[in-house]
Amino acid sequence: AQTVTQSQPEMSVQEAETVTLSCTYDTSENNYYLFWYKQPPSRQMILVIRQEAYKQQNATENRFSVNFQKAAKSFSLKISDSQLGDTAMYFCAFIRSGAGSYQLTFGKGTKLSVIP
Amino acid sequence: DVKVTQSSRYLVKRTGEKVFLECVQDMDHENMFWYRQDPGLGLRLIYFSYDVKMKEKGDIPEGYSVSREKKERFSLILESASTNQTSMYLCASSLYGGLDGYTFGSGTRLTVV
């Protein structure tokens, strides 16, 4: 079974600064996908970024980027130039590749507050 | 954009009632999911469906059942609601299993009194 660990229950960052959210996972699989989701106070979960394990290049989406370290089983999210709208819960998630794979396994989340 | 719509944003039910949570998606996705979200526990999978009339148990199916009679609709049923089922319920859908990630609904906050 896979597990996903987010070791920082809460974090805060000043507006315009950079913050990094940590995620580690445990799996014996070699092929899988990793995700970061954002859940603002409005509750809608939004996909922020997706990483395929076989790709060495780190995924980026505008101000969001990841540091994917496959050997260390680490998948951190960096938010640059933090904005007030980045205030949200952030969830890291894992899914193995392959037939019959449907279930995302989520971490417990990190609550990020962006301070004006 | 794919839309996943949950019929109720807030719901209050009494202990012992039969409760239906409805979810509809409009993009012909094959797969649909019900998660429960609790503070400090993250998201836990209750049930999922990979095709019409097909269902699979997730990590915490006890006390729940599901129905998927049409591709676009996935219902979560609490046969006899209990106070420990007070929670946020999230519905999601995906096209390629979960490999493309899920699209989530806005959630239903259920309170059982």
Side-chain angles (χ1 to χ4, degrees):
Chain A
Q2 286 71 226
T3 58
V4 177
T5 302
Q6 294 179 247
S7 58
Q8 306 147 316
E10 293 194 39
M11 295 187 72
S12 61
V13 62
Q14 291 290 138
E15 195 174 5
E17 297 293 309
T18 295
V19 64
T20 299
L21 281 58
S22 301
C23 173
T24 58
Y25 56 94
D26 186 22
T27 184
S28 58
E29 303 284 341
N30 193 46
N31 297 315
Y32 49 87
Y33 294 75
L34 294 160
F35 305 86
W36 278 99
Y37 277 88
K38 169 184 177 181
Q39 187 182 40
S42 65
R43 299 191 328 215
Q44 183 90 44
M45 291 273 283
I46 303 163
L47 178 62
V48 174
I49 204 162
R50 174 178 176 265
Q51 175 79 43
E52 298 164 71
Y54 65 86
K55 288 188 176 179
Q56 293 189 351
Q57 186 173 6
N58 289 325
T60 62
E61 286 289 340
N62 301 313
R63 298 182 295 107
F64 298 87
S65 62
V66 297
N67 183 4
F68 173 49
Q69 302 288 330
K70 190 173 184 180
K73 295 180 182 176
S74 172
F75 183 60
S76 59
L77 175 70
K78 186 172 82 171
I79 306 174
S80 303
D81 185 26
S82 297
Q83 301 175 0
L84 296 179
D86 296 332
T87 291
M89 284 290 293
Y90 286 82
F91 293 93
C92 179
F94 168 102
I95 188 168
R96 63 174 179 82
S97 301
S101 178
Y102 299 95
Q103 180 175 347
L104 282 177
T105 299
F106 289 86
K108 294 182 179 180
T110 296
K111 184 178 182 180
L112 176 68
S113 298
V114 180
I115 302 165
Chain B
D1 283 349
V2 177
K3 285 192 177 172
V4 178
T5 303
Q6 294 183 233
S7 56
S8 302
R9 194 159 174 85
Y10 298 94
L11 213 50
V12 180
K13 295 292 181 180
R14 295 193 179 277
T15 301
E17 275 194 79
K18 190 169 186 175
V19 181
F20 293 85
L21 302 184
E22 305 288 346
C23 177
V24 176
Q25 52 96 1
D26 66 359
M27 283 298 290
D28 205 34
H29 278 184
E30 300 288 335
N31 317 122
M32 296 188 75
F33 308 83
W34 276 106
Y35 279 82
R36 172 175 171 160
Q37 182 180 8
D38 298 288
L41 297 179
L43 280 74
R44 295 177 292 167
L45 181 65
I46 305 171
Y47 268 97
F48 69 95
S49 169
Y50 54 88
D51 202 351
V52 177
K53 296 188 188 277
M54 306 303 290
K55 60 186 179 184
E56 291 283 342
K57 293 180 181 179
D59 298 320
I60 52 164
E62 296 78 19
Y64 303 95
S65 62
V66 291
S67 172
R68 193 167 181 204
E69 295 297 318
K70 293 185 177 181
K71 191 174 187 178
E72 67 270 18
R73 185 180 296 269
F74 192 36
S75 303
L76 179 69
I77 304 157
L78 287 67
E79 295 291 342
S80 177
S82 64
T83 55
N84 63 13
Q85 292 178 310
T86 291
S87 187
M88 171 74 76
Y89 290 89
L90 297 176
C91 177
S93 71
S94 74
L95 185 57
Y96 303 115
L99 302 186
D100 53 331
Y102 296 167
T103 300
F104 282 89
S106 295
T108 295
R109 171 78 67 187
L110 173 66
T111 303
V112 182
V113 298

